Amino acid sequence: MTTTPAPFGARLRRAMDERGPLCVGIDPHASLLADWGLNDDIAGLERFTHTVVEALADRVAVLKPQSAFFERFGSRGIAVLERAVADSRAAGALVLMDAKRGDIGSTMAAYAATYLDPASPLFSDAVTVSPYLGYGSLRPALDLARESGTGVFVLALTSNPEGAEVQHAVREDGTTIAATMLDHLRAENAGAAPMGSYGAVVGATLGSSAGAARADLAINGPLLAPGIGAQGATAADLPKVFGAAVRDVVPNVSRGVLRHGPAVGALRESAARFAAEVREAVGS
């Protein structure tokens, strides 16, 4: 007898309530490996990744490996990523695969199966996707996420300055591309409780530029907010950027935590400090 998996949104809400509202990236780029005294090779990648998972997977709500930093090592890097995903999930962390995939038809379906099919060795709790071949192109991932109890985070208002030329563009009906994506996600999440499984990526560094879209950020789903820490945003900025939707924010910290490695204790202390600051800022 098969059972319907608990939806990602419900699992994410529980994890944030129990472990604190924080997502920590696993970003083994070459300069960070060097800062840890590791070589930029498969041994360094493996040591770095294992240390982050050991330090944080049993205590943070979400771990977010950046797939590109593993892919650059070929099949051996992917093997490290597979183990990181499995070990993180076994320790209780939700895994958000930062892959930013976007395509059409059978290719999009294959990307979805890679990360959202329980039979895949890279099966994760959620994946980031790019909607700029049209929101409808994401349908294979959206449908598989609903079926498998996983989640999807759609790029909407990203923190990189180049994103504005697409995301702030205005359609014929007067709405921006970003607002259109948020509208689609709101429809996907309609009626979900305690929170939908279809999220948006909205940069915590946007400041007042997000003000016009603030009302639209309430999508009844999670809002992944990169930019806390090394990129300049702080936990105190979250209410200003996200307004009434702030309780649904999943702040993402990468270098702000990872720079304290390779000491396991220092990584844990840094993550705990960020989680506490976010709790205080959002009042949860």
Side-chain angles (χ1 to χ4, degrees):
M1 178 180 175
T2 58
T3 58
T4 302
F8 171 72
R11 293 187 290 119
L12 176 60
R13 173 62 70 200
R14 183 170 62 249
M16 291 198 298
D17 289 346
E18 293 176 354
R19 294 184 170 205
L22 188 68
C23 169
V24 178
I26 306 179
D27 297 353
H29 50 77
S31 62
L32 191 51
L33 293 178
D35 290 344
W36 279 36
L38 301 172
N39 292 328
D40 186 24
D41 57 19
I42 196 67
L45 176 74
E46 191 166 19
R47 175 69 181 276
F48 175 93
T49 305
H50 175 74
T51 301
V52 175
V53 171
E54 177 190 2
L56 302 178
D58 66 345
R59 60 197 65 217
V60 302
V62 183
L63 285 175
K64 183 177 70 66
Q66 169 48 258
S67 182
F69 292 120
F70 296 85
E71 293 173 35
R72 68 193 184 99
F73 291 99
S75 61
R76 294 179 299 166
I78 296 299
V80 174
L81 180 58
E82 289 176 4
R83 180 181 173 186
V85 170
D87 289 351
S88 297
R89 300 187 76 238
L94 298 177
V95 172
L96 167 56
M97 184 64 69
D98 195 357
K100 298 184 178 70
R101 301 303 192 225
D103 215 303
I104 61 172
S106 59
T107 307
M108 190 66 228
Y111 280 139
T114 301
Y115 305 108
L116 304 178
D117 185 334
S120 170
L122 283 171
F123 177 61
S124 304
D125 295 285
V127 65
T128 57
V129 294
S130 173
Y132 297 112
L133 287 174
Y135 183 85
S137 68
L138 303 178
R139 184 50 55 189
L142 300 168
D143 289 346
L144 184 54
R146 195 178 303 276
E147 176 185 334
S148 60
T150 54
V152 170
F153 284 84
V154 177
L155 303 179
L157 281 164
T158 57
S159 56
N160 63 303
E162 302 89 347
E165 68 182 59
V166 174
Q167 297 158 18
H168 295 182
V170 178
R171 303 174 64 218
E172 291 182 357
D173 63 3
T175 60
T176 65
I177 298 297
T180 300
M181 298 307 155
L182 294 166
D183 286 343
H184 283 305
L185 292 168
R186 190 177 298 107
E188 300 285 352
N189 290 323
M195 179 169 63
S197 298
Y198 300 97
V201 180
V202 179
T205 56
L206 292 175
S208 60
S209 68
R214 182 172 297 163
D216 293 333
L217 294 179
I219 61 170
N220 190 35
L223 299 165
L224 181 68
I228 301 290
Q231 293 184 48
T234 69
D237 295 324
L238 297 175
K240 293 181 289 185
V241 176
F242 294 94
V246 71
R247 189 169 180 269
D248 295 333
V249 171
V250 188
N252 173 225
V253 180
S254 295
R255 283 173 290 172
V257 169
L258 300 178
R259 66 185 178 86
H260 294 282
V264 167
L267 290 168
R268 290 174 174 170
E269 289 173 8
S270 179
R273 183 171 61 255
F274 275 111
E277 291 173 356
V278 172
R279 279 188 188 276
E280 181 178 358
V282 305
S284 64

